[in-house]
Amino acid sequence: MYRRLLAAAPPPAVVDWLIGGCVVFEVASGLVSFTVGTPDGAWLFWTHAAVGLTLIGALTFKLVRVRHRITGRVAWDRQTPLSILMLLVALGSLATGVFWTLGGNVPVAGWTTLNLHVGLGLLLLPLLVVHLRSRFRRPRRTDLDRRAALRTGALLASGALAWRATETADRLLDGATRRFTGSKPTGDLYDTATEGGAFPVTSWVADDPDPVDREAWRLHVDGLVDESLALAIDDIVPDTRRRATLDCTSGWYTVQEWRGVRVGDLLASAGVADEARYVRFVSVTGYRWSLPLDEARDALLATHVGDDRLSHGHGAPARLVAPGRRGFQWVKWVERVEVRRARDPAQWVVTLVSGFD
Ligand SMILES: Nc1nc2c(c(=O)[nH]1)N[C@H]1C(S)=C(S)[C@@H](COP(=O)(O)O)O[C@H]1N2
Ligand SMILES: [Mo]
């Protein structure tokens, strides 16, 4: 049986390179997918899924080939335990990914199965680096003949086919309530609603500020503006309503009717300088995100959700509502709207470390 399976396998070196390539692609596409919130980026999630399924095939070939090295028929060397650990982590991240895609979720210590999938996937990268330090072999031209190319193509194609099959299975199993991002309605994961109603209070990493004093709070609008503003809560007229989907990278989404002030209106009162290109939203915790000027104008600084004032956990007195962006970009407890010329690469680090004292 093993022999028949291996007859369909590309040459060992090609399988190994394919595995390495798939892992790197999965980590990269998974990370980039965190920034995708509009359907025109859906292809990234599809390829992530299809390549993940290809990886299952490639790992199967590899596992069959090296089985004697694991069972001990061939003596273990110093690297074997690490290789086995890597295999387990790889299988874990693949299994959690498939499980999530098919509608499953078994939270562990507050982590959704999607969180677990991400964590295991990220762990794979350093393991792969260590593994390659001892096992790396330069590719040789002879590895890639016509037959090898055909078999590799067949493996990739079966990954894509398997992806189509999981899509179909998903639709049959839970009616495809997942968004293209993989996120599920809050009601599927928590005891809360998806449209209107309650939704989880979430921090990206460590932000957990004390409630902001509404009376003392000021919203600063400054940077490249004609006149800096410091607005009290009563100066802000929440006259704009917007239905928008908050889609968290930990795997849930909720559709809410938000109410607040259009950022474009705020900026118009301050007057925007010609060289302005970006608008940065800064939280009382230092957490921050920036949007291109036109997108920022169209975003909302929300003071209300549904019929109620924002609660502290959801970012009172004001939070960013940026339709089409992922949840971690919807800065809560905003105290500064800063007009800038340049983008803000440091925001990537700041969102990870803000909240740690
Ligand atoms: N200042 C600040 N804003 C933040 C976060 C944070 O940790 N700090 N978490 C983000 C994340 S990851 C999400 S999903 C949403 C969650 O909003 P909610 O708590 O109102 O559901 O807020 C975003 N805004
Ligand atoms: Mo999130």
Side-chain angles (χ1 to χ4, degrees):
M1 185 195 116
Y2 286 143
R3 192 165 312 154
R4 209 175 298 156
L5 191 65
L6 282 180
V14 175
V15 170
D16 290 350
W17 275 94
L18 189 64
I19 290 172
C22 285
V23 169
V24 170
F25 178 84
E26 288 302 82
V27 172
S29 59
L31 287 175
V32 172
S33 81
F34 271 18
T35 67
V36 176
T38 51
D40 57 339
W43 63 272
L44 189 66
F45 296 91
W46 302 340
T47 40
H48 183 82
V51 171
L53 292 165
T54 302
L55 189 51
I56 295 179
L59 277 175
T60 306
F61 286 142
K62 166 132 193 170
L63 205 59
V64 170
R65 190 181 87 225
V66 301
R67 65 188 184 281
H68 298 312
R69 288 212 232 150
I70 296 173
T71 57
R73 281 244 308 266
V74 174
W76 283 25
D77 63 22
R78 294 219 335 253
Q79 297 301 322
T80 308
L82 186 90
S83 303
I84 290 175
L85 175 67
M86 187 163 90
L87 177 69
L88 292 176
V89 172
L91 292 179
S93 62
L94 289 165
T96 47
V98 172
F99 184 61
W100 180 265
T101 300
L102 292 179
N105 180 45
V106 178
V108 178
W111 278 37
T112 62
T113 296
L114 186 64
N115 287 139
L116 204 60
H117 170 68
V118 172
L120 290 168
L122 288 176
L123 193 57
L124 213 47
L125 208 54
L127 289 173
L128 183 68
V129 169
V130 178
H131 183 76
L132 285 179
R133 279 180 54 177
S134 64
R135 300 273 208 245
F136 180 83
R137 235 166 283 128
R138 202 180 273 284
R140 283 168 307 176
R141 175 135 340 143
T142 51
D143 289 333
L144 246 193
D145 56 8
R146 207 177 96 90
R147 209 168 68 161
L150 280 175
R151 288 179 178 184
T152 308
L155 190 56
L156 288 165
S158 39
L161 272 178
W163 167 72
R164 288 295 318 178
T166 57
E167 285 290 289
T168 309
D170 177 39
R171 220 161 299 144
L172 294 174
L173 284 174
D174 72 352
T177 51
R178 284 183 311 123
R179 293 190 85 211
F180 63 92
T181 58
S183 292
K184 299 176 187 179
T186 44
D188 283 11
L189 302 175
Y190 307 95
D191 209 6
T192 52
T194 292
E195 300 253 346
F199 56 103
V201 165
T202 309
S203 270
W204 176 229
V205 181
D207 269 14
D208 185 20
D210 290 333
V212 177
D213 180 343
R214 268 175 75 79
E215 302 305 320
W217 177 81
R218 293 290 177 276
L219 178 69
H220 299 273
V221 182
D222 56 17
L224 296 174
V225 293
D226 301 334
E227 185 195 355
S228 300
L229 309 176
L231 304 172
I233 189 73
D234 293 332
D235 301 330
I236 295 174
V237 187
D239 57 359
T240 307
R241 286 173 185 279
R242 180 77 60 82
R243 241 171 96 82
T245 305
L246 172 53
D247 182 339
C248 174
T249 48
S250 69
W252 56 265
Y253 74 87
T254 182
V255 184
Q256 300 286 338
E257 172 129 328
W258 310 88
R259 183 154 67 89
V261 58
R262 248 188 103 245
V263 174
D265 293 344
L266 281 178
L267 296 183
S269 352
V272 172
D274 285 343
E275 63 271 32
R277 294 291 176 274
Y278 289 88
V279 179
R280 175 156 85 180
F281 299 85
V282 188
S283 171
V284 299
T285 65
Y287 190 105
R288 64 190 201 224
W289 202 261
S290 48
L291 300 176
L293 182 57
D294 284 337
E295 186 183 354
R297 282 198 167 108
D298 200 39
L300 202 66
L301 211 56
T303 51
H304 292 69
V305 59
D307 296 324
D308 303 319
R309 262 190 204 166
L310 282 180
S311 63
H312 165 59
H314 290 310
R319 69 137 357 125
L320 179 62
V321 167
R325 295 283 183 154
R326 299 301 291 275
F328 75 92
Q329 296 160 320
W330 293 33
V331 182
K332 300 194 278 193
W333 313 291
V334 173
E335 65 170 4
R336 168 160 275 119
V337 175
E338 194 187 339
V339 182
R340 296 163 51 89
R341 182 201 294 272
R343 53 173 83 239
D344 176 21
Q347 67 192 6
W348 293 96
V349 181
V350 171
T351 52
L352 298 176
V353 300
S354 73
F356 290 110
D357 300 316

mmCIF file of all heavy atoms in Angstrom, residues 291-325:
data_model
loop_
_atom_site.group_PDB
_atom_site.id
_atom_site.type_symbol
_atom_site.label_atom_id
_atom_site.label_comp_id
_atom_site.label_asym_id
_atom_site.label_seq_id
_atom_site.Cartn_x
_atom_site.Cartn_y
_atom_site.Cartn_z
ATOM 1 N N LEU A 291 -5.220 55.505 8.690
ATOM 2 C CA LEU A 291 -5.917 55.204 7.449
ATOM 3 C C LEU A 291 -5.545 56.272 6.431
ATOM 4 O O LEU A 291 -5.296 57.427 6.801
ATOM 5 C CB LEU A 291 -7.439 55.254 7.660
ATOM 6 C CG LEU A 291 -8.048 54.303 8.687
ATOM 7 C CD1 LEU A 291 -9.546 54.585 8.826
ATOM 8 C CD2 LEU A 291 -7.812 52.850 8.291
ATOM 9 N N PRO A 292 -5.533 55.907 5.143
ATOM 10 C CA PRO A 292 -5.357 56.922 4.106
ATOM 11 C C PRO A 292 -6.453 57.988 4.241
ATOM 12 O O PRO A 292 -7.581 57.670 4.643
ATOM 13 C CB PRO A 292 -5.514 56.139 2.805
ATOM 14 C CG PRO A 292 -5.220 54.720 3.160
ATOM 15 C CD PRO A 292 -5.674 54.556 4.586
ATOM 16 N N LEU A 293 -6.101 59.237 3.893
ATOM 17 C CA LEU A 293 -6.982 60.369 4.167
ATOM 18 C C LEU A 293 -8.429 60.158 3.697
ATOM 19 O O LEU A 293 -9.369 60.369 4.468
ATOM 20 C CB LEU A 293 -6.382 61.632 3.526
ATOM 21 C CG LEU A 293 -7.135 62.933 3.740
ATOM 22 C CD1 LEU A 293 -7.309 63.248 5.216
ATOM 23 C CD2 LEU A 293 -6.397 64.087 3.041
ATOM 24 N N ASP A 294 -8.611 59.717 2.452
ATOM 25 C CA ASP A 294 -9.982 59.606 1.936
ATOM 26 C C ASP A 294 -10.778 58.545 2.683
ATOM 27 O O ASP A 294 -11.968 58.725 2.962
ATOM 28 C CB ASP A 294 -9.966 59.284 0.440
ATOM 29 C CG ASP A 294 -9.603 60.525 -0.374
ATOM 30 O OD1 ASP A 294 -9.798 61.643 0.156
ATOM 31 O OD2 ASP A 294 -9.109 60.368 -1.508
ATOM 32 N N GLU A 295 -10.110 57.440 2.985
ATOM 33 C CA GLU A 295 -10.795 56.382 3.735
ATOM 34 C C GLU A 295 -11.147 56.887 5.141
ATOM 35 O O GLU A 295 -12.234 56.622 5.653
ATOM 36 C CB GLU A 295 -9.903 55.138 3.825
ATOM 37 C CG GLU A 295 -10.617 53.958 4.467
ATOM 38 C CD GLU A 295 -9.722 52.742 4.639
ATOM 39 O OE1 GLU A 295 -8.572 52.756 4.157
ATOM 40 O OE2 GLU A 295 -10.204 51.777 5.263
ATOM 41 N N ALA A 296 -10.212 57.631 5.738
ATOM 42 C CA ALA A 296 -10.441 58.157 7.085
ATOM 43 C C ALA A 296 -11.636 59.105 7.098
ATOM 44 O O ALA A 296 -12.468 59.067 8.007
ATOM 45 C CB ALA A 296 -9.194 58.870 7.595
ATOM 46 N N ARG A 297 -11.752 59.939 6.073
ATOM 47 C CA ARG A 297 -12.869 60.898 6.010
ATOM 48 C C ARG A 297 -14.195 60.168 6.070
ATOM 49 O O ARG A 297 -15.156 60.629 6.667
ATOM 50 C CB ARG A 297 -12.796 61.690 4.701
ATOM 51 C CG ARG A 297 -11.754 62.789 4.713
ATOM 52 C CD ARG A 297 -12.047 63.782 3.586
ATOM 53 N NE ARG A 297 -11.260 64.992 3.746
ATOM 54 C CZ ARG A 297 -10.219 65.317 2.958
ATOM 55 N NH1 ARG A 297 -9.855 64.519 1.970
ATOM 56 N NH2 ARG A 297 -9.565 66.438 3.172
ATOM 57 N N ASP A 298 -14.223 59.003 5.445
ATOM 58 C CA ASP A 298 -15.469 58.270 5.343
ATOM 59 C C ASP A 298 -15.725 57.390 6.571
ATOM 60 O O ASP A 298 -16.811 56.825 6.712
ATOM 61 C CB ASP A 298 -15.413 57.403 4.078
ATOM 62 C CG ASP A 298 -16.793 57.006 3.634
ATOM 63 O OD1 ASP A 298 -17.695 57.862 3.728
ATOM 64 O OD2 ASP A 298 -16.979 55.847 3.229
ATOM 65 N N ALA A 299 -14.734 57.276 7.435
ATOM 66 C CA ALA A 299 -14.904 56.449 8.640
ATOM 67 C C ALA A 299 -15.691 57.232 9.695
ATOM 68 O O ALA A 299 -15.955 58.420 9.546
ATOM 69 C CB ALA A 299 -13.547 56.040 9.186
ATOM 70 N N LEU A 300 -16.033 56.509 10.754
ATOM 71 C CA LEU A 300 -16.880 57.098 11.787
ATOM 72 C C LEU A 300 -16.133 57.076 13.112
ATOM 73 O O LEU A 300 -15.448 56.105 13.430
ATOM 74 C CB LEU A 300 -18.135 56.230 11.898
ATOM 75 C CG LEU A 300 -19.393 56.834 12.492
ATOM 76 C CD1 LEU A 300 -19.920 57.926 11.586
ATOM 77 C CD2 LEU A 300 -20.459 55.745 12.643
ATOM 78 N N LEU A 301 -16.255 58.146 13.854
ATOM 79 C CA LEU A 301 -15.820 58.092 15.241
ATOM 80 C C LEU A 301 -17.103 57.881 16.029
ATOM 81 O O LEU A 301 -17.890 58.816 16.210
ATOM 82 C CB LEU A 301 -15.104 59.379 15.623
ATOM 83 C CG LEU A 301 -14.014 59.207 16.661
ATOM 84 C CD1 LEU A 301 -12.981 58.196 16.218
ATOM 85 C CD2 LEU A 301 -13.342 60.532 16.942
ATOM 86 N N ALA A 302 -17.315 56.656 16.479
ATOM 87 C CA ALA A 302 -18.612 56.290 17.052
ATOM 88 C C ALA A 302 -18.645 56.571 18.548
ATOM 89 O O ALA A 302 -17.679 56.287 19.268
ATOM 90 C CB ALA A 302 -18.903 54.818 16.784
ATOM 91 N N THR A 303 -19.763 57.118 18.976
ATOM 92 C CA THR A 303 -20.007 57.310 20.409
ATOM 93 C C THR A 303 -21.117 56.376 20.881
ATOM 94 O O THR A 303 -21.295 56.173 22.075
ATOM 95 C CB THR A 303 -20.426 58.759 20.690
ATOM 96 O OG1 THR A 303 -21.504 59.100 19.794
ATOM 97 C CG2 THR A 303 -19.262 59.714 20.440
ATOM 98 N N HIS A 304 -21.865 55.826 19.909
ATOM 99 C CA HIS A 304 -23.020 54.988 20.224
ATOM 100 C C HIS A 304 -22.997 53.719 19.378
ATOM 101 O O HIS A 304 -22.462 53.719 18.270
ATOM 102 C CB HIS A 304 -24.328 55.720 19.938
ATOM 103 C CG HIS A 304 -24.593 56.877 20.840
ATOM 104 N ND1 HIS A 304 -23.847 58.033 20.794
ATOM 105 C CD2 HIS A 304 -25.531 57.068 21.808
ATOM 106 C CE1 HIS A 304 -24.297 58.893 21.701
ATOM 107 N NE2 HIS A 304 -25.322 58.335 22.339
ATOM 108 N N VAL A 305 -23.594 52.682 19.913
ATOM 109 C CA VAL A 305 -23.849 51.481 19.123
ATOM 110 C C VAL A 305 -25.274 51.037 19.411
ATOM 111 O O VAL A 305 -25.695 51.027 20.565
ATOM 112 C CB VAL A 305 -22.810 50.370 19.416
ATOM 113 C CG1 VAL A 305 -22.795 49.971 20.883
ATOM 114 C CG2 VAL A 305 -23.061 49.151 18.534
ATOM 115 N N GLY A 306 -26.014 50.720 18.349
ATOM 116 C CA GLY A 306 -27.441 50.482 18.542
ATOM 117 C C GLY A 306 -28.071 51.746 19.089
ATOM 118 O O GLY A 306 -27.792 52.836 18.597
ATOM 119 N N ASP A 307 -28.874 51.618 20.137
ATOM 120 C CA ASP A 307 -29.519 52.793 20.712
ATOM 121 C C ASP A 307 -28.749 53.331 21.910
ATOM 122 O O ASP A 307 -29.159 54.318 22.521
ATOM 123 C CB ASP A 307 -30.941 52.431 21.158
ATOM 124 C CG ASP A 307 -31.808 52.040 19.973
ATOM 125 O OD1 ASP A 307 -31.625 52.644 18.890
ATOM 126 O OD2 ASP A 307 -32.635 51.118 20.115
ATOM 127 N N ASP A 308 -27.641 52.674 22.245
ATOM 128 C CA ASP A 308 -26.973 53.029 23.492
ATOM 129 C C ASP A 308 -25.626 53.712 23.275
ATOM 130 O O ASP A 308 -24.991 53.531 22.252
ATOM 131 C CB ASP A 308 -26.720 51.748 24.310
ATOM 132 C CG ASP A 308 -27.998 50.999 24.575
ATOM 133 O OD1 ASP A 308 -29.019 51.662 24.876
ATOM 134 O OD2 ASP A 308 -27.993 49.750 24.444
ATOM 135 N N ARG A 309 -25.240 54.457 24.307
ATOM 136 C CA ARG A 309 -23.874 54.946 24.362
ATOM 137 C C ARG A 309 -22.925 53.762 24.373
ATOM 138 O O ARG A 309 -23.241 52.716 24.950
ATOM 139 C CB ARG A 309 -23.656 55.673 25.694
ATOM 140 C CG ARG A 309 -23.777 57.147 25.624
ATOM 141 C CD ARG A 309 -23.289 57.659 26.970
ATOM 142 N NE ARG A 309 -23.874 58.965 27.247
ATOM 143 C CZ ARG A 309 -23.859 59.531 28.436
ATOM 144 N NH1 ARG A 309 -23.333 58.892 29.475
ATOM 145 N NH2 ARG A 309 -24.371 60.718 28.607
ATOM 146 N N LEU A 310 -21.747 53.921 23.805
ATOM 147 C CA LEU A 310 -20.728 52.872 23.905
ATOM 148 C C LEU A 310 -20.467 52.579 25.371
ATOM 149 O O LEU A 310 -20.398 53.494 26.186
ATOM 150 C CB LEU A 310 -19.418 53.350 23.290
ATOM 151 C CG LEU A 310 -19.259 53.359 21.775
ATOM 152 C CD1 LEU A 310 -17.868 53.876 21.435
ATOM 153 C CD2 LEU A 310 -19.460 51.975 21.193
ATOM 154 N N SER A 311 -20.285 51.318 25.699
ATOM 155 C CA SER A 311 -19.844 50.982 27.051
ATOM 156 C C SER A 311 -18.319 51.143 27.111
ATOM 157 O O SER A 311 -17.665 51.269 26.072
ATOM 158 C CB SER A 311 -20.223 49.535 27.368
ATOM 159 O OG SER A 311 -19.537 48.672 26.479
ATOM 160 N N HIS A 312 -17.805 51.144 28.325
ATOM 161 C CA HIS A 312 -16.343 51.280 28.464
ATOM 162 C C HIS A 312 -15.597 50.227 27.647
ATOM 163 O O HIS A 312 -14.676 50.527 26.888
ATOM 164 C CB HIS A 312 -15.949 51.188 29.942
ATOM 165 C CG HIS A 312 -14.482 50.954 30.119
ATOM 166 N ND1 HIS A 312 -13.525 51.834 29.626
ATOM 167 C CD2 HIS A 312 -13.777 49.912 30.670
ATOM 168 C CE1 HIS A 312 -12.318 51.357 29.899
ATOM 169 N NE2 HIS A 312 -12.438 50.203 30.526
ATOM 170 N N GLY A 313 -16.025 48.979 27.786
ATOM 171 C CA GLY A 313 -15.314 47.892 27.112
ATOM 172 C C GLY A 313 -15.262 48.062 25.602
ATOM 173 O O GLY A 313 -14.304 47.639 24.948
ATOM 174 N N HIS A 314 -16.280 48.663 25.044
ATOM 175 C CA HIS A 314 -16.333 48.831 23.591
ATOM 176 C C HIS A 314 -15.693 50.142 23.135
ATOM 177 O O HIS A 314 -15.774 50.491 21.956
ATOM 178 C CB HIS A 314 -17.772 48.721 23.095
ATOM 179 C CG HIS A 314 -18.335 47.326 23.197
ATOM 180 N ND1 HIS A 314 -17.670 46.219 22.716
ATOM 181 C CD2 HIS A 314 -19.485 46.847 23.746
ATOM 182 C CE1 HIS A 314 -18.393 45.125 22.956
ATOM 183 N NE2 HIS A 314 -19.490 45.481 23.584
ATOM 184 N N GLY A 315 -15.075 50.883 24.082
ATOM 185 C CA GLY A 315 -14.245 52.011 23.648
ATOM 186 C C GLY A 315 -14.746 53.398 23.991
ATOM 187 O O GLY A 315 -14.303 54.367 23.377
ATOM 188 N N ALA A 316 -15.680 53.525 24.960
ATOM 189 C CA ALA A 316 -16.216 54.837 25.325
ATOM 190 C C ALA A 316 -15.080 55.772 25.752
ATOM 191 O O ALA A 316 -14.103 55.313 26.347
ATOM 192 C CB ALA A 316 -17.225 54.691 26.463
ATOM 193 N N PRO A 317 -15.181 57.062 25.474
ATOM 194 C CA PRO A 317 -16.327 57.751 24.863
ATOM 195 C C PRO A 317 -16.423 57.598 23.341
ATOM 196 O O PRO A 317 -17.512 57.740 22.801
ATOM 197 C CB PRO A 317 -16.076 59.225 25.207
ATOM 198 C CG PRO A 317 -14.998 59.234 26.228
ATOM 199 C CD PRO A 317 -14.192 58.005 26.023
ATOM 200 N N ALA A 318 -15.312 57.295 22.655
ATOM 201 C CA ALA A 318 -15.388 57.253 21.191
ATOM 202 C C ALA A 318 -14.423 56.217 20.639
ATOM 203 O O ALA A 318 -13.296 56.082 21.115
ATOM 204 C CB ALA A 318 -15.059 58.632 20.598
ATOM 205 N N ARG A 319 -14.856 55.528 19.615
ATOM 206 C CA ARG A 319 -14.020 54.514 18.967
ATOM 207 C C ARG A 319 -14.123 54.667 17.454
ATOM 208 O O ARG A 319 -15.103 55.171 16.923
ATOM 209 C CB ARG A 319 -14.453 53.104 19.360
ATOM 210 C CG ARG A 319 -15.787 52.731 18.803
ATOM 211 C CD ARG A 319 -15.957 51.314 18.214
ATOM 212 N NE ARG A 319 -14.870 50.418 18.137
ATOM 213 C CZ ARG A 319 -14.872 49.192 18.664
ATOM 214 N NH1 ARG A 319 -15.928 48.757 19.325
ATOM 215 N NH2 ARG A 319 -13.845 48.409 18.490
ATOM 216 N N LEU A 320 -13.088 54.169 16.803
ATOM 217 C CA LEU A 320 -13.082 54.204 15.346
ATOM 218 C C LEU A 320 -13.953 53.081 14.788
ATOM 219 O O LEU A 320 -13.882 51.942 15.255
ATOM 220 C CB LEU A 320 -11.645 54.051 14.838
ATOM 221 C CG LEU A 320 -11.452 54.040 13.325
ATOM 222 C CD1 LEU A 320 -11.909 55.349 12.698
ATOM 223 C CD2 LEU A 320 -9.987 53.765 12.984
ATOM 224 N N VAL A 321 -14.780 53.416 13.812
ATOM 225 C CA VAL A 321 -15.514 52.423 13.037
ATOM 226 C C VAL A 321 -15.030 52.561 11.603
ATOM 227 O O VAL A 321 -15.297 53.562 10.941
ATOM 228 C CB VAL A 321 -17.031 52.648 13.145
ATOM 229 C CG1 VAL A 321 -17.783 51.820 12.107
ATOM 230 C CG2 VAL A 321 -17.516 52.292 14.551
ATOM 231 N N ALA A 322 -14.245 51.596 11.151
ATOM 232 C CA ALA A 322 -13.610 51.658 9.838
ATOM 233 C C ALA A 322 -14.124 50.507 8.982
ATOM 234 O O ALA A 322 -13.515 49.434 8.945
ATOM 235 C CB ALA A 322 -12.090 51.592 9.974
ATOM 236 N N PRO A 323 -15.247 50.712 8.285
ATOM 237 C CA PRO A 323 -15.849 49.633 7.497
ATOM 238 C C PRO A 323 -14.842 49.053 6.509
ATOM 239 O O PRO A 323 -14.079 49.794 5.894
ATOM 240 C CB PRO A 323 -16.986 50.336 6.742
ATOM 241 C CG PRO A 323 -17.301 51.548 7.558
ATOM 242 C CD PRO A 323 -15.999 51.966 8.159
ATOM 243 N N GLY A 324 -14.827 47.723 6.404
ATOM 244 C CA GLY A 324 -13.910 47.073 5.480
ATOM 245 C C GLY A 324 -12.553 46.789 6.098
ATOM 246 O O GLY A 324 -11.722 46.128 5.479
ATOM 247 N N ARG A 325 -12.317 47.296 7.316
ATOM 248 C CA ARG A 325 -11.073 46.980 8.019
ATOM 249 C C ARG A 325 -11.354 45.921 9.074
ATOM 250 O O ARG A 325 -12.487 45.783 9.536
ATOM 251 C CB ARG A 325 -10.513 48.228 8.698
ATOM 252 C CG ARG A 325 -10.096 49.294 7.724
ATOM 253 C CD ARG A 325 -8.783 48.920 7.099
ATOM 254 N NE ARG A 325 -8.318 49.967 6.200
ATOM 255 C CZ ARG A 325 -7.028 50.154 5.910
ATOM 256 N NH1 ARG A 325 -6.103 49.386 6.454
ATOM 257 N NH2 ARG A 325 -6.672 51.091 5.074
#
